[in-house]
Amino acid sequence: MSSSSDNLDNLCFLCGAVQGKYVCPRCNVYYCSLDCYRSAKHANCSEQFYKECIQEEMAVDAPNPDDAKSVQKILTRLQEADKLGVDGGFLEDGEDDGEESEGDSDDLASESEDLAARLAGIDLNNPELVWQKLSAEEKAEFQSIIASGDASQIVPAWEPWWMHRQPLVQEVTDSDDYKKKCPQISTKIPLLKDIAKVNPGVKYGISNAVMAYVIVARHFQGDHLEPDLVSEAADCLMDLSLSLGKGENFADGESAVTSVKMQATEILESAQDDLDLALDDFSKIMEGPSTDEVSYYLLCALSDCINVLSKATKKGNGKSSNGEFSKRFLASGRESKWTKKQLMVTIKKLEFYTAWVKSCC
């Protein structure tokens, strides 16, 4: 239990009237409300804090590449970061902020309404326009989220397209609705003329490629085809799948999957929980949405791999945004480290994999 002296120490430094619920991240003083934080007594600190966050800290701290794919989604949810204090102040570790005072509630409601008004009519999918409408405090708050590495906690979780499993009893009218979320299967790839001559070990190469694909899709939160990320996603796919990147053959399915897990551990520093999730994803794709369409998800995954590499070969002709937000937070839109010829050869291999699946299943 805290002593009376501790309670006095935790009084709001700015008004001295009530208990301080927040701690200024720059000068470490306790404060109780938005009004106190913005008071003249604290103005020098708060204004300097915003300036440093935007002009210095942003320039020094390189953005986390894992967060680049989700920054657009975070912008529209800044006001929902309930673990942050008011205007960049953080609650002290282990402290519950309890119920808000009526004044604080009104202030926060007013700020939310103000943000909504500023964003009215703005294309929320355009980060440059949204960034221009944010205040200095909101920009600093966004930067603190990115720097903390906790962005994933306020970004809506991505639901992979392969999660659906057809029930045994279903309505005929909506039985194929789930396919609208799946990558389109390439219809230009013909069946193999003489599948008997194909090395049966090709199925292990397919397993290796698909295991790599589910990790890439999860890693980029489903944004692996976005223009600013597709080259990085292509590099990741080629690096994780030794079947695609180095033409390696595998003796069995277990070694094919284990190879990807080892690559992911080394390259992406994937945790065991992530690898277990990837294995579950891999199993769902191999099982398909139903017993009648076992190969459907597998064909979708191979087609999406082709899409990633195809877009990466054309990346040099794309245009990257030169806006302030893109320069600070988004990937540079660089080209793949693999040559166009290497990517095209791999695309041909994936087309062969697709033809084999179509012919066998």
Side-chain angles (χ1 to χ4, degrees):
M1 180 179 297
S2 298
S3 65
S4 58
S5 61
D6 289 336
N7 291 332
L8 290 176
D9 289 340
N10 291 351
L11 283 177
C12 176
F13 177 79
L14 303 171
C15 70
V18 296
Q19 198 76 8
K21 295 189 295 183
Y22 309 105
V23 179
C24 174
R26 187 169 185 271
C27 63
N28 295 321
V29 300
Y30 286 86
Y31 64 96
C32 64
S33 67
L34 179 65
D35 290 338
C36 281
Y37 186 84
R38 288 178 171 173
S39 66
K41 185 176 180 180
H42 192 246
N44 290 338
C45 178
S46 59
E47 291 176 4
Q48 185 63 24
F49 171 69
Y50 299 144
K51 182 177 179 180
E52 289 179 0
C53 281
I54 297 172
Q55 296 182 349
E56 298 179 6
E57 185 178 343
M58 281 182 174
V60 174
D61 292 339
N64 187 338
D66 291 342
D67 295 326
K69 55 185 176 293
S70 60
V71 289
Q72 294 185 21
K73 300 172 186 176
I74 302 173
L75 276 175
T76 61
R77 303 188 64 185
L78 283 173
Q79 65 271 36
E80 299 177 14
D82 57 2
K83 291 299 181 183
L84 291 173
V86 181
D87 275 351
F90 293 85
L91 290 175
E92 191 175 22
D93 290 343
E95 184 180 8
D96 185 356
D97 64 344
E99 297 182 357
E100 294 177 335
S101 66
E102 184 177 351
D104 287 344
S105 178
D106 292 342
D107 287 336
L108 294 175
S110 176
E111 285 196 335
S112 296
E113 292 174 0
D114 177 55
L115 178 61
R118 280 181 280 129
L119 294 178
I122 295 296
D123 179 7
L124 297 181
N125 290 321
N126 186 326
E128 300 299 342
L129 294 179
V130 176
W131 185 254
Q132 293 172 12
K133 296 296 182 179
L134 297 183
S135 66
E137 293 92 333
E138 290 159 347
K139 291 179 179 179
E141 182 180 353
F142 177 80
Q143 170 61 17
S144 69
I145 295 172
I146 295 298
S148 71
D150 290 335
S152 60
Q153 297 183 16
I154 63 171
V155 176
W158 174 65
E159 182 179 355
W161 51 263
W162 57 78
M163 302 302 290
H164 176 82
R165 182 74 179 175
Q166 288 284 69
L168 295 178
V169 179
Q170 58 191 7
E171 295 290 337
V172 177
T173 55
D174 61 359
S175 60
D176 288 342
D177 283 353
Y178 69 95
K179 292 184 178 180
K180 297 176 182 178
K181 300 179 180 180
C182 299
Q184 186 174 0
I185 298 174
S186 176
T187 57
K188 298 180 180 179
I189 301 175
L191 300 177
L192 296 177
K193 294 181 179 179
D194 192 353
I195 194 171
K197 294 182 179 179
V198 178
N199 185 340
V202 68
K203 59 187 175 184
Y204 305 134
I206 293 174
S207 295
N208 183 259
V210 173
M211 182 65 175
Y213 167 76
V214 297
I215 292 179
V216 170
R218 286 276 189 185
H219 183 70
F220 288 91
Q221 287 285 325
D223 290 334
H224 48 282
L225 293 177
E226 290 297 315
D228 286 313
L229 299 174
V230 69
S231 291
E232 186 181 349
D235 290 350
C236 192
L237 181 63
M238 296 282 282
D239 289 339
L240 294 183
S241 172
L242 298 185
S243 170
L244 299 180
K246 295 187 176 180
E248 188 167 319
N249 296 318
F250 298 93
D252 51 55
E254 183 178 358
S255 62
V257 170
T258 300
S259 171
V260 178
K261 293 168 69 175
M262 293 175 64
Q263 290 294 102
T265 301
E266 179 180 349
I267 297 172
L268 301 179
E269 299 183 349
S270 299
Q272 186 59 48
D273 288 346
D274 296 327
L275 298 178
D276 291 341
L277 179 60
L279 188 59
D280 183 63
D281 290 334
F282 171 79
S283 297
K284 284 182 169 62
I285 286 183
M286 290 302 187
E287 292 171 0
S290 67
T291 54
D292 295 331
E293 293 185 291
V294 175
S295 64
Y296 183 77
Y297 283 167
L298 180 53
L299 291 172
C300 288
L302 292 173
S303 296
D304 212 23
C305 287
I306 293 174
N307 291 337
V308 171
L309 300 188
S310 296
K311 285 181 176 289
T313 63
K314 302 171 184 176
K315 188 65 192 74
N317 297 324
K319 294 183 179 179
S320 297
S321 173
N322 292 320
E324 178 186 2
F325 180 85
S326 296
K327 289 178 180 179
R328 289 179 173 175
F329 299 105
L330 295 182
S332 61
R334 61 168 177 80
E335 296 184 17
S336 171
K337 69 180 183 181
W338 298 81
T339 66
K340 183 175 182 179
K341 181 178 180 180
Q342 288 173 319
L343 294 176
M344 292 301 298
V345 168
T346 306
I347 289 172
K348 290 298 181 183
K349 188 168 191 175
L350 286 165
E351 290 176 346
F352 172 75
Y353 284 168
T354 302
W356 186 88
V357 173
K358 285 183 175 183
S359 302
C360 289
C361 305

